[in-house]
Amino acid sequence: MTKKPIVYPYIPNSAPAVKEAMLKAVNANSVEDFYADIPDSIRFKGRLNLPEPFLSETALVRHVEGLLSKNQSTRETLSFLGAGCSQHYVPAVCDEVNSRGEFLTAYAGEPYEDHGRFQALFEYESMMGELLNMDVVNVPVYDGFQSTSTALRMAGRITGRTVALLPATVMPDKLSKIRDYLKPDMQVELVAFDEATGLLDLNALKQQINAETAAVFIENPSYLGFLETQAEEIGKIAHASGALFVVGVDPISLGVINPPVEYGGDIVCGDIQPLGIHMHYGGGHAGFIASKDDERIVMEYPSRLFGVATTSVEGEYGFGDVAYERTSFAVREEGKEWVGTAAALWGITAGVYLALMGPQGMEDLGRGIMQRLRYAVRKLNQVSGVKTRFSVTPHFKEFVVDFNQTGKTVAQVNQALLEKGIFGGKDLSAEFPSLGQCALYCVTEVHTQADLDTLAKAIAEATK
Amino acid sequence: MKHETKKLGAPKAVAPKPALRRFHQARWDEPIIFELSVAGQRGVLPPEPEAAVVEAAGDVFDNLPESLKRKSAPALPEMSQLHVLRHYARLSQENLGVDLNVDVGQGTCTMKYSPKVNDQLARSHKLTDLHPLQPLSTVQGILEVMYKLEGMLKEISGMDHVTLQPGAGSAAIYANVAMIRAYHEARGEGGQRTEVITTSFSHPSNGAAAKVAGYKIITLPPDADGYPDFEALKAAVSERTAALLITNPEDTGIFNPRIEEFVNLVHSVGGLCSYDQANANGILGITRARDAGFDVCHFNLHKTFSTPHACGGPAAGACGVTKEVAPFLPTPTVEFDGEKYYLDFNRPQSVGKIRPWYGVAPNLLRAYAWIMSLGADGLREVAEIAALNNNYLMHNVLKIRGVSAPYAKGKRRVEQVRYSWEQLTNDTGVHSEEIGFRVADFGSHYWLSHHPFVVPEPMTLEPTESYSREDLDEYARILNHIAEEAYTNPEILHTAPHNSTIHKIDQESFDDPDAWAVTWRAYQRKLKK
């Protein structure tokens, strides 16, 4: 008995009769005719050694859900992990909109048949523009690492200079990406930070800055959670040397924290994951770059910039690519860096988030996070031997907890917390050896007073 | 009052559908979202901290310098939840995805069905709400998915190792170039190898990403048959060659039968060969990167492996490498010690990070589930039907007046064809772009192809395995109808689209710094000037 051919639900023309008729229509004996140009020497002769498939949907679901069940999500635990990927509440409407097949399954459509995509992304740019008080925002790039790297390269091209100065508090992973990405054309130099406050060492900055400095970069808030209170002065130092002031921000802080343009920022960058996008095990990132509407800066963006225009009908908006000739789509390697598929749907999602939150929501959320953080800091400082670092400096949502005086390592503390169903903060001992046994904790609006009390109690027990 | 009914005796027959769809796209005439704002409306309410938290915290702004205090709230729209949802639901209806249209007109992009079951699986909180720094014991499921997906892609490519870290195809190209650069540097040849060779019909990001990595780019033109010019390659290779970045089949759909000679020639001068497998859909299980001697390759999981294109991402890229290049893979790698899965960060020669964390996990899960639903035979069926669909569509398209398939006359193509409307343009003055606008009037999408237009008046069609014979016939009917219009009534094309959401866009402002507006605030400001 011959094996019945499988008709695959995803492959309509796998039905044998259809296949036969189509082959006949094109005068082909078999599908082999289409591969006649592939030399025998490179033909794969065997059958791929892959697991046997789950042909039915129900079997597939059972298999994949079985794998997923081995994960324990932050919804089932109490997590204080952050470090650039943070647990915020994702409103249901965000998931509803980005699940719609019209958006989810479209691609790089044109302004006519995919008008909706263009408008939604223009609105994303526009709402980010309000949050940042800036007139130009790009269609998202892959992530905040990429947007920072590109912002620094833009500064290099604009100034014709080759050095970027970064605070030594930048996340080492991010620094790795930045160094790699800038390597052929720019050097990265780190500027020391003050061990007591975390803030940038301004004397060091003044010594390092010179006529080769393309950009002075800071993060607000920093990777270690504190706000760089000297930002305005740093911007002035950068500008006095003819460098651009590039600032990384957590956009969710901007309901209460001043956007960088107000203290001298020329190019602003960051990651929009906090704005209505699930963490996805680190797969929920998208990067933004923003600037003033200065032609000199705009022409250095590699990304797509969707602009609004009139149409032949009164009262109708149309959209299209602004200054397309800068892009690699238009002129290949003669364009600025490259542009390609990146993270557009997360941009649409962040737009939905900002529209839902509105001005009041962003302000309430920001203030509430800072209140929870202060409460957590106060509670943890009451635990014997535990203290929070850089406490004289204001913070937004992350902070460093110092376990050096407890005689316990962060690894030991986190193991004890895990046994109580708590994900403790990120161990910083490898990234910042000078801090010793410190951990980076993240507090957001998802945490209740009871959660923070539970944490303090668990840490007290773990460090006893 | 008694209602009089007319006796018909039988239902009135509905006439058969016309050959062309009487399509009209949704036209909600939706304002810009700021115009929908009503002062005081709320879309969601953030949770308020408890009174004890508020009290203990005190004035949280008391130690902020003035320069860091926001002075006025961001001028975001103020809307109720339903009104936000409705606005975006309407915008979504003004968009055509694979779910709605015969999306064969976006050649090179492998528009295929993204199975809904995989979307559902990817929406599990067991994936969406995982933090990348969770203890490994709590993420064994997703690590297993990643490890096994890597294994399957190794088998499909023939390569020794795979990384899933890059965020999309161009990022994967960049990762490959970064690894190639590190490979040469490790051998003390970093300073010497300064050139990367690519081809006219490879994706523009090959040249562009390699240039970012510091290389001089040499682009091989097509020869008379459309293949990358081997003589030009001979002239280009030298001890300065770092790598060849090449696609096969190229965006013409023509498989380069001399690919081994290309690879061998580059190897003979010490360069590496990188295979851009954006066009892998027609050759799954037919020929593999390793079989042709490549050192590195990459797949776009949002193309060949079905993850949704999402209006332009999030996507996912996967790079495959030989063991010689493996030490340079991005950090970390996903490993298995026989009992548990873990992440290896101890990789001294690694290029480091290409993106945060480990990859676009929801799409890695979708790609894994897609392969697991098809298996070896299913993947082969994908390739064969993609090739069959393409040759079937080509057969029908070439009957249309004014269109041709340049190069390799009479030969089959693999999974796509770059056509030319040059004849039609010469005859009628109608351009490919206008044909695209008119295609939208019949409910389908059409993309102009990548620049530069080496093929004049291009059109690239890639009918993947997802489309039925009737879908392909419909698309050919649309093109045929439009070509006839070009010859008989070109004005209808010059003024297209007619049934779309919007009408002809005034393009001039997009290149004028005084008029362009990338945000609503910029538009308002420039209007007032």
Side-chain angles (χ1 to χ4, degrees):
Chain A
M1 209 172 85
T2 53
K3 216 172 123 197
K4 216 169 80 181
I6 298 165
V7 178
Y8 294 91
Y10 306 158
I11 315 178
N13 296 337
S14 63
V18 178
K19 206 191 296 188
E20 278 310 308
M22 290 175 71
L23 283 168
K24 205 171 156 197
V26 300
N27 304 314
N29 293 316
S30 81
V31 289
E32 279 301 313
D33 289 17
F34 311 132
Y35 299 123
D37 284 343
I38 304 180
D40 189 60
S41 56
I42 60 169
R43 276 299 295 262
F44 175 69
K45 306 283 182 351
R47 179 172 183 259
L48 290 171
N49 181 19
L50 296 174
E52 283 308 307
F54 298 98
L55 291 172
S56 77
E57 199 168 299
T58 171
L60 180 73
V61 168
R62 181 174 284 214
H63 167 71
V64 177
E65 284 188 341
L67 291 172
L68 289 173
S69 73
K70 298 178 190 176
N71 298 331
Q72 194 181 4
S73 91
T74 53
R75 287 213 207 155
E76 300 162 299
T77 49
L78 184 53
S79 174
F80 295 95
L81 289 165
C85 180
S86 40
Q87 185 185 5
H88 290 282
Y89 181 71
V90 175
V93 174
C94 290
D95 284 341
E96 174 65 25
V97 171
N98 68 29
S99 301
R100 289 187 70 95
E102 299 91 332
F103 283 139
L104 184 64
T105 69
Y107 199 18
E110 309 302 315
Y112 294 110
E113 96 290 331
D114 278 2
H115 176 77
R117 159 189 186 260
F118 277 83
Q119 181 164 343
L121 283 165
F122 172 78
E123 292 177 346
Y124 156 76
E125 294 169 347
S126 299
M127 286 185 273
M128 285 296 286
E130 294 303 335
L131 200 58
L132 294 157
N133 284 355
M134 278 183 146
D135 279 1
V136 178
V137 179
N138 65 346
V139 175
V141 296
Y142 307 113
D143 49 64
F145 287 13
Q146 182 68 49
S147 65
T148 308
S149 304
T150 286
L152 293 172
R153 266 194 176 262
M154 285 170 63
R157 290 195 291 271
I158 292 162
T159 59
R161 298 173 174 193
T162 57
V163 177
L165 298 179
L166 277 62
T169 50
V170 167
M171 182 189 201
D173 273 3
K174 187 170 176 176
L175 186 58
S176 163
K177 163 75 187 187
I178 294 170
R179 281 191 195 282
D180 169 81
Y181 197 75
L182 269 54
K183 191 169 152 183
D185 299 308
M186 293 176 75
Q187 296 96 52
V188 173
E189 285 180 24
L190 298 183
V191 182
F193 65 97
D194 184 283
E195 291 276 340
T197 62
L199 300 176
L200 198 71
D201 180 339
L202 294 192
N203 288 326
L205 173 65
K206 285 174 190 162
Q207 278 172 17
Q208 284 172 261
I209 198 165
N210 59 38
E212 280 309 304
T213 309
V216 175
F217 174 74
I218 64 159
E219 295 178 306
N220 232 346
S222 71
Y223 171 57
L224 298 179
F226 58 83
L227 291 158
E228 178 49 82
T229 53
Q230 313 166 115
E232 193 167 21
E233 198 176 344
I234 294 167
K236 285 179 183 155
I237 294 169
H239 289 154
S241 282
L244 295 190
F245 187 30
V246 181
V247 184
V249 288
D250 179 348
I252 210 165
S253 70
L254 296 178
V256 289
I257 304 298
N258 222 6
V261 68
E262 304 298 334
Y263 51 80
D266 298 300
I267 305 178
V268 181
C269 53
D271 200 303
I272 57 173
Q273 181 269 326
L275 305 180
I277 302 160
H278 294 277
M279 297 182 290
H280 285 107
Y281 197 48
H285 292 285
F288 72 88
I289 304 171
S291 69
K292 298 170 197 169
D293 196 351
D294 174 343
E295 186 183 356
R296 207 171 55 118
I297 301 177
V298 173
M299 293 309 288
E300 296 304 331
Y301 278 83
S303 338
R304 297 184 81 172
L305 301 169
F306 288 166
V308 67
T310 49
T311 76
S312 58
V313 169
E314 295 247 334
E316 211 172 67
Y317 298 112
F319 303 94
D321 280 283
V322 164
Y324 189 67
E325 288 300 313
R326 11 167 219 101
T327 68
S328 63
F329 277 158
V331 290
R332 299 172 70 94
E333 66 270 16
E334 299 311 316
K336 312 296 177 183
E337 302 170 41
W338 76 78
V339 61
T341 302
L345 191 59
W346 293 150
I348 293 173
T349 306
V352 175
Y353 183 84
L354 292 173
L356 288 167
M357 294 294 285
Q360 191 66 50
M362 290 304 287
E363 187 182 333
D364 292 350
L365 187 84
R367 191 194 321 100
I369 289 172
M370 291 177 78
Q371 288 167 327
R372 289 175 181 87
L373 180 137
R374 273 215 183 166
Y375 180 84
V377 164
R378 180 173 290 204
K379 287 295 256 189
L380 292 182
N381 277 313
Q382 288 165 4
V383 176
S384 172
V386 173
K387 64 179 168 62
T388 56
R389 291 291 290 259
F390 316 127
S391 292
V392 294
T393 311
H395 284 64
F396 179 64
K397 75 183 182 195
E398 304 207 36
F399 60 102
V400 174
V401 182
D402 184 339
F403 295 99
N404 285 300
Q405 301 306 314
T406 65
K408 293 279 192 334
T409 63
V410 173
Q412 287 170 324
V413 173
N414 280 353
Q415 184 56 38
L417 294 181
L418 181 60
E419 283 159 19
K420 296 178 195 294
I422 299 171
F423 297 156
K426 182 186 185 184
D427 190 341
L428 293 172
S429 59
E431 291 188 337
F432 292 90
S434 69
L435 294 178
Q437 293 299 318
C438 283
L440 184 62
Y441 275 72
C442 180
V443 169
T444 73
E445 77 282 6
V446 303
H447 296 110
T448 63
Q449 181 188 0
D451 293 337
L452 302 174
D453 292 344
T454 300
L455 173 69
K457 186 160 170 278
I459 285 183
E461 286 165 8
T463 53
K464 242 191 269 179
Chain B
M1 200 170 71
K2 207 176 169 190
H3 184 62
E4 295 275 337
T5 53
K6 193 176 158 192
K7 294 284 180 198
L8 285 174
K12 200 174 164 195
V14 174
K17 292 284 182 198
L20 285 178
R21 210 173 277 278
R22 288 164 295 188
F23 174 80
H24 198 298
Q25 192 158 17
R27 183 182 292 159
W28 283 105
D29 206 12
E30 194 64 5
I32 302 291
I33 196 162
F34 294 93
E35 299 176 294
L36 297 169
S37 182
V38 178
Q41 300 277 303
R42 303 293 300 269
V44 288
L45 302 178
E48 284 184 27
E50 294 82 350
V53 171
V54 173
E55 193 185 329
D59 176 5
V60 289
F61 305 124
D62 58 5
N63 59 347
L64 270 188
E66 280 305 308
S67 60
L68 288 193
K69 287 183 194 163
R70 184 156 196 141
K71 303 300 182 301
S72 58
L76 295 169
E78 298 175 74
M79 297 169 71
S80 80
Q81 195 169 109
L82 171 62
H83 290 84
V84 174
L85 174 69
R86 186 189 287 159
H87 174 67
Y88 283 98
R90 287 174 172 173
L91 293 186
S92 78
Q93 291 194 340
E94 297 174 338
N95 223 42
L96 287 182
V98 172
D99 283 1
L100 288 168
N101 90 111
V102 179
D103 212 347
V104 308
Q106 175 104 29
T108 79
C109 298
T110 316
M111 304 306 295
K112 63 168 68 182
Y113 175 55
S114 300
K116 294 298 163 191
V117 64
N118 300 344
D119 293 339
Q120 277 187 9
L121 292 166
R123 273 181 220 127
S124 161
H125 77 88
K126 293 278 196 179
L127 179 65
T128 58
D129 289 19
L130 297 181
H131 189 282
L133 291 170
Q134 284 184 212
L136 293 176
S137 62
T138 66
V139 288
Q140 286 295 299
I142 184 62
L143 289 176
E144 184 174 343
V145 166
M146 291 167 69
Y147 184 84
K148 289 187 167 166
L149 176 59
E150 286 181 5
M152 297 191 291
L153 294 174
K154 279 195 266 183
E155 174 66 11
I156 292 165
S157 64
M159 305 308 263
D160 298 322
H161 293 271
V162 165
T163 178
L164 303 171
Q165 193 178 110
S170 299
I173 292 173
Y174 179 79
N176 279 340
V177 175
M179 286 189 275
I180 288 165
R181 189 177 63 186
Y183 170 90
H184 290 308
E185 282 170 358
R187 296 159 62 93
E189 296 183 355
Q192 165 199 330
R193 299 198 177 270
T194 54
E195 295 174 355
V196 156
I197 303 167
T198 184
T199 72
S200 297
F201 289 129
S202 292
H203 191 280
S205 283
N206 285 285
K211 186 163 180 209
V212 173
Y215 289 106
K216 182 185 163 214
I217 310 304
I218 300 171
T219 303
L220 305 180
D223 68 14
D225 297 321
Y227 301 116
D229 192 330
F230 191 66
E231 295 306 313
L233 179 68
K234 275 189 192 164
V237 292
S238 72
E239 71 287 349
R240 294 183 302 279
T241 304
L244 171 70
L245 312 185
I246 196 165
T247 312
N248 197 23
E250 293 197 289
D251 290 353
T252 52
I254 307 171
F255 193 91
N256 175 4
R258 297 175 73 184
I259 191 66
E260 284 175 291
E261 290 174 69
F262 279 67
V263 169
N264 291 340
L265 180 57
V266 172
H267 281 166
S268 73
V269 298
L272 295 184
C273 294
S274 179
Y275 192 170
D276 177 342
Q277 298 224 254
N279 299 338
N281 203 46
I283 53 172
L284 294 169
I286 304 288
T287 183
R288 312 191 301 172
R290 190 58 174 279
D291 302 332
F294 282 94
D295 306 286
V296 300
C297 71
H298 92 268
F299 294 110
N300 299 31
L301 300 184
H302 53 290
K303 293 182 178 175
T304 311
F305 296 93
S306 90
T307 81
H309 284 73
C311 282
C319 302
V321 300
T322 59
K323 61 179 185 301
E324 288 77 17
V325 183
F328 310 103
L329 283 166
T331 298
T333 54
V334 183
E335 307 292 348
F336 181 55
D337 67 7
E339 276 180 29
K340 57 184 191 310
Y341 297 89
Y342 66 98
L343 297 164
D344 182 7
F345 291 89
N346 184 20
R347 311 194 65 262
Q349 290 188 284
S350 165
V351 295
K353 299 302 292 184
I354 294 297
R355 70 172 269 121
W357 319 114
Y358 331 115
V360 184
N363 286 341
L364 302 181
L365 182 87
R366 285 179 172 107
Y368 172 83
W370 187 76
I371 298 173
M372 290 304 294
S373 71
L374 289 161
D377 297 337
L379 290 191
R380 176 100 185 214
E381 188 77 0
V382 165
E384 291 181 355
I385 299 293
L388 172 62
N389 281 359
N390 183 46
N391 283 280
Y392 177 84
L393 182 62
M394 179 168 76
H395 185 79
N396 290 337
V397 167
L398 290 180
K399 292 176 190 161
I400 297 171
R401 194 171 168 195
V403 73
S404 66
Y407 309 122
K409 293 278 178 234
K411 280 208 170 196
R412 308 286 189 181
R413 299 293 194 273
V414 183
E415 87 305 349
Q416 65 187 319
V417 182
R418 180 149 299 167
Y419 300 91
S420 173
W421 290 105
E422 188 176 24
Q423 183 67 50
L424 180 132
T425 304
N426 291 343
D427 293 345
T428 68
V430 169
H431 292 279
S432 177
E433 184 177 36
E434 295 168 307
I435 295 171
F437 297 158
R438 184 69 175 139
V439 169
D441 282 338
F442 299 98
S444 265
H445 174 215
Y446 174 112
W447 168 72
L448 259 185
S449 308
H450 285 301
H451 292 85
F453 292 164
V454 178
V455 169
E457 301 298 333
M459 162 177 80
T460 310
L461 305 183
E462 184 185 9
T464 64
E465 76 281 3
S466 298
Y467 303 98
S468 69
R469 178 171 49 173
E470 172 49 31
D471 291 341
L472 305 178
D473 290 344
E474 178 178 354
Y475 205 87
R477 280 199 301 274
I478 294 170
L479 293 178
N480 185 60
H481 177 83
I482 294 172
E484 288 307 315
E485 285 180 338
Y487 281 97
T488 55
N489 181 15
E491 193 51 28
I492 203 165
L493 283 150
H494 296 320
T495 52
H498 304 279
N499 306 333
S500 195
T501 301
I502 56 161
H503 300 82
K504 211 82 174 167
I505 299 163
D506 302 323
Q507 300 284 334
E508 308 78 42
S509 68
F510 296 141
D511 289 306
D512 176 359
D514 292 328
W516 70 36
V518 180
T519 53
W520 186 242
R521 60 191 281 130
Y523 181 66
Q524 301 297 320
R525 177 172 59 77
K526 290 181 182 184
L527 276 183
K528 282 187 197 133
K529 262 210 312 208

